[in-house]
Amino acid sequence: MAQPSVSVIMPVRNEEAFIERSLGAMLRQDYPHDRLEILVVDGMSTDQTRKIVREMADQSDVRVRVIDNPARIVPPAMNVGIRAAQGDVIVRMDGHTIAEPDYVSACVQSLEESAADNVGGRMDCVGDTLLGKAIGAATSHPFGIGNAKFHYAREAQEVDTVYLGCWRKDAFDRFGEFDEYFLRTQDSEFNYRTRMLGGRVWLDPRIKSAYYNRASLTKLAKQYYQYGFWKTRLMFKLGGRLQLRHFAAPAFVCSLVISLILLICSGFLVFSHWASGLFLGGVALFVPALYVIAALSASIKICFQEKDYRYVFLLPLVFFVLHVSWGLGFLNGVLIRPQPDHFQPLRLGSHPRATPRALRGDPFISVVMPVRNEQAYIRESLHALFNQDYPRDRYEIIVADGMSTDATTAIVTEMAAASPVPVILLNNPKKHAASALNAGIKAARGEVILRMDGHVVAAADYLRTSVDTLKTIDADNVGGVVEYTGSNWLARLIGLAVSSTFGCGGAPARSRRQGYVDTVSFGCWRKEAFQTFGLFDEFFSKTQDSEFNYRTRLLGGKVWLNPAIKSHYFSRPSLIGLARQYFKYGYWKSRLVFKLGWRLSPRHFAPPLLVTGLAGCLGGAALIPLLPQCCAFWVTVRHFMVCAVLFFPAVYFLFCLLAAAALLRKSKHLASLVVLPVLYLIIHLNWGFGFILGFFIPPPPDAFMPLPTENGNR
């Protein structure tokens, strides 16, 4: 880009204290003034902001426009400015920020050199008072804000987000505009969304500006409480692509609460058994002591850097206010779950979701079936597909085999030779279902794609009902209910357990209620849906259906459940197989959280909470021996502690028994009252362990397939 025209967008509201400095810095840029315009988007200021802007505009040769922002918050201001901008490049500026004279030039140069979709620089926090300077030092130090590199990085690099930003204007056609739901963290939301859609965000330290931060502890607490709260909104919308630093403050707040409880217990205990009381008090003070040491160490280091000893008295308090406020805001945000329709959908570029093409007559269907080592079930699965009530010249079956080591491929070849329906056998060297589905979709001739499984027997009207539903319902994917069966008594009981509400929550595939849902087990799509929403993400060896359906909804699509679409699934016939299966489900569901956000239903968090609760009970049980028996009063406390530790497991076991009793008519065997609670425990514990393990092992950001932008292109 040779001297592109630049539009600087500056959202402001009641900035009379800073606007002369911030706007003045932009009017003194060394970029050619005839290639520069400044759009001051004012949120209906009630002070002298507008008057100051007009007076400065009259004295400058840079074109300055004032635009109204009735919504008053930043995201609508940015969107209004972007639509009104005439420049090829958009630069965001802030009314609290003083840019260096070469700010715009450095932005344009970095945008050209890096080939990134958004570039930004360092955010150097400054203040006019000693407290303001201390706050600036704290919010620019890794101990204060973790590895948010735009606060302190010295080298150019690709990052998750930057302060403010600079874009080519067509970036907003590809990634959409700012989400106007976000009162705070709107820059992070846009940058995370950019990366999800395959874009790049670049930090260049040559782009310099100074930010005048809050100058009081009250304002700092309010600011970082809002940052923490709105960061959870970002997590709910776009996923656990948040860095580990974002979870440090809430974890610290939780540890303080636990420390306080233990400290109170130690205070009671020390009067009757001083050694145990002191030990428990030491445990309670361990985390706070570590924090104080770390805060003092960071404060002393800053004192030497700034050559001002007074910081050592202010900075520990500033760090504490910053971390506790952020943590409380984050925890409150996690507890207050936003509605999915609060967020602006991730549209494909700036284009709305196209109306699905109408299907006429009997459209040709390609049934894609991923298999691997399914010799025990493949005959029944294929036989059910051969005997559909759909015209046999209007569908094909594509079996994508994951390098089976048993007789699966031989059975498929044998049945294909005598089949009235075309059967295509594909090799799937990657072995996972997602890669098998992608291979099948690419090879498919049909205008409708229907997924089937080698473990599943479809009802005779499965294809007909799926296609009729796709014709009549405004949905991008339709699916039905899955009924579980088994080859032996244990497998049938496992089927009952996993299909019950207590076993797997309100999973749509077990429901009898028709309507829009978050996901369906298999699926039926128009083929162009994969051009719109992309193919299956091959990173997911499990939960690939959920990932695709959640992604569909994230991009503005719809998923429909029709209970008339029926199939039977063969349950795992062993406890070890069940445990392994649900551990993987939990683990891979956490991968889905990291990619697409906390749009998971509350049922997905019940097993991890159960595991956490049981772990807490075990921890409480470990404290019981610390309570002495030398006094009748403390014996009573010990009894109370035992009851408290046993209460949660007892309630869970009672629910297991009630759920098993509710299935007694279906199981037709009294032994199910013993076996079903064990099955519930295996399902819940393994799902919960898998989810927790996956949550604490974040995948690399580039592990996922980026979301499509326009027409399935990245």
Side-chain angles (χ1 to χ4, degrees), residues 1-7 31-32 34-37 86-90 104-105 107-109 111-112 166-168:
M1 298 181 299
Q3 298 290 346
S5 57
V6 176
S7 295
Y31 200 76
D34 62 337
R35 306 292 293 163
L36 182 66
E37 69 169 353
Q86 298 176 358
D88 302 315
V89 171
I90 304 294
V104 173
S105 299
C107 283
V108 172
Q109 183 179 354
L111 200 61
E112 180 179 4
C166 172
W167 308 263
R168 297 171 183 82

Side-chain angles (χ1 to χ4, degrees), residues 312-352:
V312 79
F313 302 104
L314 287 175
L315 282 172
L317 179 59
V318 172
F319 283 135
F320 183 78
V321 170
L322 188 158
H323 293 151
V324 170
S325 300
W326 208 103
L328 288 174
F330 190 95
L331 293 172
N332 189 35
V334 168
L335 295 175
I336 303 175
R337 187 182 178 92
Q339 295 297 319
D341 58 358
H342 285 174
F343 304 122
Q344 170 187 300
L346 285 183
R347 299 298 184 188
L348 307 181
S350 59
H351 309 290

Side-chain angles (χ1 to χ4, degrees), residues 552-614:
T552 296
R553 295 172 59 237
L554 195 63
L555 293 169
K558 300 176 181 179
V559 181
W560 182 267
L561 173 71
N562 183 1
I565 304 172
K566 297 179 180 179
S567 61
H568 290 83
Y569 180 87
F570 288 98
S571 304
R572 296 294 188 274
S574 72
L575 297 182
I576 295 176
L578 178 69
R580 185 183 297 115
Q581 178 186 20
Y582 274 84
F583 179 86
K584 290 180 179 178
Y585 283 166
Y587 179 85
W588 284 100
K589 195 66 76 171
S590 73
R591 311 293 88 181
L592 179 57
V593 171
F594 277 100
K595 178 175 182 181
L596 294 180
W598 290 59
R599 294 197 171 201
L600 303 186
S601 300
R603 70 176 185 271
H604 296 114
F605 300 99
L609 289 176
L610 171 67
V611 171
T612 304
L614 292 178

Side-chain angles (χ1 to χ4, degrees), residues 74-75 78 92 178-179 182-191 193:
V74 172
M78 287 300 301
R92 177 182 170 181
F178 284 80
D179 189 337
F182 282 82
L183 177 64
R184 296 281 186 183
T185 68
Q186 59 278 152
D187 295 300
S188 294
E189 188 277 331
F190 188 88
N191 287 320
R193 187 190 343 146

Side-chain angles (χ1 to χ4, degrees), residues 98-103 106 121-122 124 204-210:
I98 313 300
E100 291 293 316
D102 63 346
Y103 188 90
R122 282 184 45 175
D124 294 323
D204 191 337
R206 294 178 299 178
I207 304 170
K208 298 178 181 179
S209 63

Side-chain angles (χ1 to χ4, degrees), residues 94 96-97 103 120-126 136 139-141 145 148-153 162-164 203-205 207-214 223-224 227:
D94 186 84
H96 249 59
T97 300
Y103 188 90
R122 282 184 45 175
M123 175 185 178
D124 294 323
C125 296
V126 296
T139 55
S140 300
H141 192 274
I145 40 77
K149 295 182 180 178
F150 63 84
H151 284 284
Y152 58 82
V162 290
Y163 175 61
L164 304 178
L203 172 67
D204 191 337
I207 304 170
K208 298 178 181 179
S209 63
Y211 173 79
Y212 278 83
N213 46 254
R214 303 300 187 269
Q223 179 186 21
Y224 273 82
Y227 283 167

Side-chain angles (χ1 to χ4, degrees), residues 364-371 382 385 395-401 412 421-426 436-437 439-446 449-450 452:
F364 194 85
I365 303 174
S366 293
V367 180
V368 181
M369 179 185 287
V371 298
L382 285 177
L385 292 176
Y395 70 100
E396 65 179 356
I397 301 171
I398 301 173
V399 179
D401 179 67
V412 172
V421 180
V423 178
I424 302 167
L425 181 61
L426 301 177
L437 287 165
I441 292 166
K442 293 171 185 175
R445 295 185 294 129
I449 305 293
L450 188 145
M452 189 40 61

